[in-house]
Amino acid sequence: MGFAVIIPLQALQKFYGSSLGKKTLVALTGLVLLAFVFGHMAGNLLIYAGRDALNSYAEKLQNAGVLLWAARIGLLGAATLHVVTTLHLARHNRLASQPRPVFQRTVQASRASLTMVWTGLLVAGFVIYHVLHFTVTPDAGQPGYYELSSQGPRHDVYGMVVQGFRVPLISLFYVASMVALCFHISHGFSSVFQTLGLRTERNWALIRGAGLAFAALIFVGNVSIPVSVLLGWIS
């Protein structure tokens, strides 16, 4: 039994120790995070359908119980692996690379790829703030935190979002964070296909265009909410 356990552990260590293994892990966890970003945005856009639509959606998520916690733990694990492995990969590549002229390195790498680590860290900081802002720290005693529905009192997520984004500095921070997120996505999306061996000369332009389009969709969808609140379109 002990021998059988040692072999997979050794295989995993060898896999993670290689550059290809790290890139594959970053790509797979990146796919999970891309799916979450899209799903999270789609749920948030229910704010345009009105208070009841968004609050009903939030209530269903909250009542998911074990499934919700399983999703949270899985997402946290994927995010942690993505960040840690990316940092390890960056360090591995830096140590393994041979000195080359700065101009040559800049030409061979896109602006997004050069800043992937930094935009990723900025996004990680934003996620922590976002969780604290709308999940951990809201005061249950503040007006509008609860609303009455046919099922009784429930969290007024609609009101919380509107109240939060009415503060211009908070909305500006969210917009700036979306710039970093979508800059990260624009490169990460296409990198997933390249790492998994799905890139060819024929489809590369399509993959690159799809990555830019996906990043633009996420940016417009997420940024539209604080902008709409500030302009009074959502109140």
Side-chain angles (χ1 to χ4, degrees), residues 12-48:
L12 287 174
Q13 289 175 348
K14 184 178 180 181
F15 174 78
Y16 188 82
S18 67
S19 178
L20 178 59
K22 290 185 179 69
K23 289 180 179 179
T24 301
L25 189 56
V26 169
L28 293 177
T29 53
L31 280 176
V32 173
L33 297 176
L34 285 174
F36 168 76
V37 166
F38 180 80
H40 187 63
M41 180 198 70
N44 289 340
L45 290 178
L46 286 173
I47 195 170
Y48 291 108

Side-chain angles (χ1 to χ4, degrees), residues 93-217:
N93 291 341
R94 185 170 63 251
L95 294 176
S97 62
Q98 297 295 327
R100 290 181 294 173
V102 174
F103 178 76
Q104 182 181 358
R105 293 200 306 267
T106 304
V107 169
Q108 290 183 352
S110 69
R111 187 182 300 273
S113 66
L114 288 172
T115 58
M116 281 295 283
V117 172
W118 293 110
T119 55
L121 292 175
L122 287 173
V123 170
F126 162 73
V127 169
I128 293 173
Y129 173 81
H130 182 62
V131 171
L132 292 174
H133 185 206
F134 284 121
T135 306
V136 177
T137 59
D139 181 8
Q142 68 183 3
Y145 185 78
Y146 289 107
E147 70 156 358
L148 293 178
S149 68
S150 59
Q151 304 299 323
R154 64 182 176 183
H155 290 171
D156 184 14
V157 177
Y158 182 98
M160 290 166 57
V161 171
V162 172
Q163 187 174 2
F165 285 141
R166 277 178 178 166
V167 181
L169 284 178
I170 291 179
S171 290
L172 181 61
F173 174 71
Y174 269 80
V175 172
S177 298
M178 287 304 104
V179 172
L181 172 64
C182 293
F183 203 60
H184 193 83
I185 287 176
S186 67
H187 177 72
F189 186 97
S190 53
S191 293
V192 168
F193 288 86
Q194 181 174 353
T195 299
L196 297 181
L198 301 176
R199 170 192 169 178
T200 65
E201 292 298 327
R202 181 174 299 180
N203 66 13
W204 177 237
L206 178 62
I207 291 173
R208 181 62 178 159
L212 293 173
F214 184 79
L217 174 65

